[in-house]
Amino acid sequence: MQANIDPAHLSAYIASRICHDLVSSVSSITNALDFMNEPQESEMRAQAEKLLHDGADSAASKLKFLRYAFGSAGLSKGAADIHEAKQITERFVSSHNQPPVLNWDIETEHLSFSHARLIMNMVMLAVDCLPRGGTIEVKVRNQTDGLGIGLTAAGQRCKLRDDTKDAIAGTEPQDGWSARTVQPLFTRIIATGLGGELKAESREAEAEVSVTATGLSAEG
């Protein structure tokens, strides 16, 4: 089942999600610049310069990732550079407060840009399940029915929200679509476009959430 959402609302919510992910980094840059315009001791200025550098680095990492995950970079033809995709994703994850540790287990020599885009969005889902950090395990396997991608998020207070689970299943959440729930829906749209199926499962006793995409077209 595919969710029924107006394209105008879909694009608006995605734009809002992108802005939400960037606002903290951009605010850090603005605050640092304002602070540097005030008379201050050299130590305070050094702290402001560090805040400016960290904010700019965080914004650049997020922009590069979001351009790939949501923008035209993820629609390129041919094979993606697996090393580059991993590096972009790792920098995005590390830009968060209490960032989880990202571990890779990829057993395929070919990933299309669409596959890489799907992995990035699945990682975003996993990060949202880990408010206190933890670990994210990414596995990619060639299977009999196509390519399979599996993520396991584990950590303190790890949880899959009900509205996120609904969105992954293609069901409109009880309170309607929002900038937060549209991202799991978008992840489902990518998986479906690759001929696959996206599922999520929460194991609260183990503080784990798993997200899997199976039956994906090998070529993308």
Side-chain angles (χ1 to χ4, degrees):
M1 179 179 65
Q2 189 60 279
N4 182 21
I5 182 171
D6 179 75
H9 284 84
L10 176 65
S11 60
Y13 288 139
I14 288 176
S16 295
R17 173 61 194 252
I18 292 171
C19 291
H20 173 271
D21 283 354
L22 289 172
V23 68
S24 61
S25 300
V26 175
S27 295
S28 294
I29 297 171
T30 303
N31 292 338
L33 289 172
D34 289 342
F35 193 61
M36 290 175 70
N37 288 329
E38 300 293 329
Q40 56 195 273
E41 298 176 359
S42 58
E43 182 178 347
M44 299 291 286
R45 184 173 183 84
Q47 292 178 358
E49 289 176 349
K50 183 179 185 304
L51 181 63
L52 178 62
H53 178 274
D54 291 347
D57 186 62
S58 174
S61 298
K62 290 178 179 178
L63 275 170
K64 196 167 187 178
F65 176 89
L66 294 168
R67 178 174 174 267
Y68 208 129
F70 291 113
S72 59
L75 296 175
S76 302
K77 300 297 183 182
D81 184 326
I82 298 177
H83 176 74
E84 180 186 28
K86 288 167 59 177
Q87 190 176 59
I88 291 171
T89 305
E90 287 166 359
R91 291 194 64 187
F92 171 79
V93 171
S94 67
S95 68
H96 290 73
N97 291 327
Q98 295 183 299
V101 175
L102 191 57
N103 297 317
W104 302 93
D105 184 4
I106 300 178
E107 291 188 0
T108 182
E109 295 181 357
H110 173 83
L111 280 180
S112 71
F113 283 92
S114 293
H115 291 132
R117 187 187 204 194
L118 176 57
I119 291 171
M120 288 177 172
N121 274 276
M122 291 172 71
V123 168
M124 288 185 76
L125 281 173
V127 171
D128 286 348
C129 293
L130 294 169
R132 297 291 181 85
T135 60
I136 299 173
E137 306 285 340
V138 182
K139 290 187 178 182
V140 182
R141 296 287 189 273
N142 289 310
Q143 300 172 335
T144 56
D145 61 346
L147 194 71
I149 301 171
L151 269 71
T152 301
Q156 187 180 4
R157 294 181 62 185
C158 180
K159 183 179 180 180
L160 181 68
R161 291 173 56 105
D162 290 339
D163 52 4
T164 299
K165 191 171 184 178
D166 287 341
I168 291 172
T171 302
E172 182 173 352
Q174 184 175 356
D175 295 331
W177 297 109
S178 66
R180 191 181 56 75
T181 56
V182 79
Q183 191 275 324
L185 171 64
F186 186 69
T187 309
R188 175 186 172 85
I189 291 171
I190 300 171
T192 302
L194 286 166
E197 184 178 9
L198 187 71
K199 292 183 178 180
E201 180 184 359
S202 179
R203 295 180 291 277
E204 293 188 15
E206 292 82 15
E208 287 186 356
V209 169
S210 63
V211 184
T212 58
T214 56
L216 303 168
S217 169
E219 294 301 320

